[in-house]
Amino acid sequence: MACCDEPKLLPVVTAIDRMLEAVNPPADFEQLALNQLLDRILAEDIHAQLNVPGHDNSAMDGYALRAQDADKPLHLAGQSLAGHAFQGSLEPGQCVRITTGAVIPTGADAVVMQENTRIDGQHINVTQTPRPGENIRRAGEDIAQGDRVLSKGHRLSPVDVALLASLGVAEAEVYRRLKVAVLSTGDELTAPGQPLTAGQIYDSNRYGIVALLQRLNVEVIDLGLIPDREDAIRATLQNASQRADAVISSGGVSVGEADFVKDILDELGEINFWKVAIKPGKPFAFGSLGRACFFGLPGNPVSAMVTLHQLALPVLRAMAGEVTEQPITLNATAASRYKKRPGRQDFQRATLRVQEGENIVSSTGPQGSGVLTSFAGANCYVVLEQERGTVEEGETVQVVPFDRFIL
Ligand code: AMP
Ligand code: MG
């Protein structure tokens, strides 16, 4: 795009599609042990090498028997305990004491739960006859040998790690971690922990961005606070593009005097687009810097976090090899008025609650792009369509609950 074209605001979905088209997952993989797999992205499908459960086993503590024998007193022939199967096979008129999870002896076709029996010396009387197959968990009932249990592109959760272990899988192949470089721009910024001088504010964006990236489990390269000087920003971006898969900056992408980021991106790399029809946000630059891709977030703290979450995160996840699903969107009744002008898709911060079966969503207060408190107190976005105007109390709106990356 030539520098003087008047760039139109790109709809959010178009911006995301354009970014996804421009990126690829890593071409390198690593083989990692189970206890290093949490929050890594599978680079292979996982197929079960065995049946789960591995044997027909008991769902109850009780007695294994032939269902057809249940009307007679049964001779207790032995026991089958977890880890200690009954040896031999069950003869007619016999039963075997069995505990939950223990192997069903050959010859038995049901388990009667202990509560439905009476002990009479060496004999067991069944007080409620089980159906054939009752209280037996069949081999392969949960997972059959050969089934695909997890797919390439899946982010591994604690439950997934347990599932792999249950299949005897000790290691798996995952994509290498992304390297993401982060910088803040702005002469007015001071690092937290330092005293503020007149007119200075604390750099909050870099910490919020790094924190989200930690949840994403990428390798973070913190490039620090860069002053609004063309040479400093140029040198930092040049250095970053050689070390990282993605570079994220905040500030300096508007059209002010000291907003060099976009121009330097244009000079060192390529701008794909830099204006998105999103609120909070709008100046959001995407492009490439050598082999790295570049996200230029707006400076305002709420805008930086919303555009990071809504625009950059889906792309970073794809770059990490992750296959994702659309977030769940709910309809809810607006408990208050939402002021809005058509033209941008608005991500207001709000709280969703269910009241007498109805989804009710309330604003968390002032929605200025510098107001982090109304973000911190929220549990969802109210997503107002690009062309929609002001929403009156009682109207139906779309709500997207926060995911684990943002709050
Ligand atoms: P800019 O896009 O650089 O003009 O920044 C827009 C607004 O965001 C200004 O009020 C900046 O002071 C503020 N801002 C920029 N970067 C940060 C940051 N890292 N942390 C907090 N506020 C910032
Ligand atoms: Mg600035």
Side-chain angles (χ1 to χ4, degrees), residues 349-372:
R349 284 73 63 203
T351 46
L352 174 68
R353 65 181 194 282
V354 181
Q355 197 175 301
E356 291 164 13
E358 193 187 354
N359 295 332
I360 309 283
V361 67
S362 315
S363 173
T364 45
Q367 297 282 316
S369 52
V371 185
L372 279 173

Side-chain angles (χ1 to χ4, degrees), residues 25 40 78 97 113 135 211 215 220 241 270 318 389 391 405 407:
R40 297 299 298 256
R97 167 104 188 101
M113 58 197 273
N135 296 325
R215 289 249 173 110
V220 176
S241 69
E270 238 170 280
V391 173
F405 296 106
L407 218 70

